[in-house]
Amino acid sequence: MSAELVSATVAETDTYFGATSTKEFESTNKTLQTITWEQDFYNLRLGGNNITLNATASSQMDVTYTSDNENVVKIEGNVLSIIGEGQTCIHATQAGNETYAAITESKFVYVRNSDACANYALAKPDKVSKRAGDNMR
């Protein structure tokens, strides 16, 4: 058995925080598997609905979920509940067996306070006032 470190970095943008993840992989004679998880958790709102997590393993074996910070999101079975404002990571893990190697896929979670925008009122298009010099009819 040998171990390799692999790092992945996502650059910060105007919309998203940057992040780096490093994982140690051990080389074995087991069959590698993948986890497919096409959900994003970048824009959750405090007070939002529970989310059913849907990661699947290529081995067809069960996937389990964990949260790094249960003050932000809590996971019971495959249901994510929004608990508080903040950021954390959640993980989908397939533990492997005598045939398949274990694997974990991680996702960044960002929960914002939904009340943060409550003080902003949006004008209806038919209520927009005309300014001097506008050529609106």
Side-chain angles (χ1 to χ4, degrees), residues 71-106:
N71 292 318
V72 177
V73 295
K74 186 174 183 178
I75 300 172
E76 292 184 22
N78 69 332
V79 177
L80 178 144
S81 299
I82 299 168
I83 304 300
E85 191 173 5
Q87 57 192 19
T88 190
C89 285
I90 57 175
H91 311 281
T93 300
Q94 204 309 301
N97 61 14
E98 60 281 345
T99 303
Y100 289 97
I103 188 167
T104 297
E105 175 76 19
S106 299

Side-chain angles (χ1 to χ4, degrees), residues 23 25 46-47 61 67-68 72 107:
K23 179 77 176 168
F25 294 91
L46 191 58
M61 294 190 296
S67 170
D68 284 349
V72 177
K107 298 277 188 165

Side-chain angles (χ1 to χ4, degrees), residues 37 39 43 55 61 66 69-70 84 88 97-98 104 114 119 125:
W37 194 8
Q39 291 174 293
N43 198 21
M61 294 190 296
T66 56
N69 185 345
E70 291 193 343
T88 190
N97 61 14
E98 60 281 345
T104 297
S114 60
N119 294 327

Side-chain angles (χ1 to χ4, degrees), residues 113-122:
N113 184 343
S114 60
D115 293 336
C117 296
N119 294 327
Y120 294 95
L122 298 176

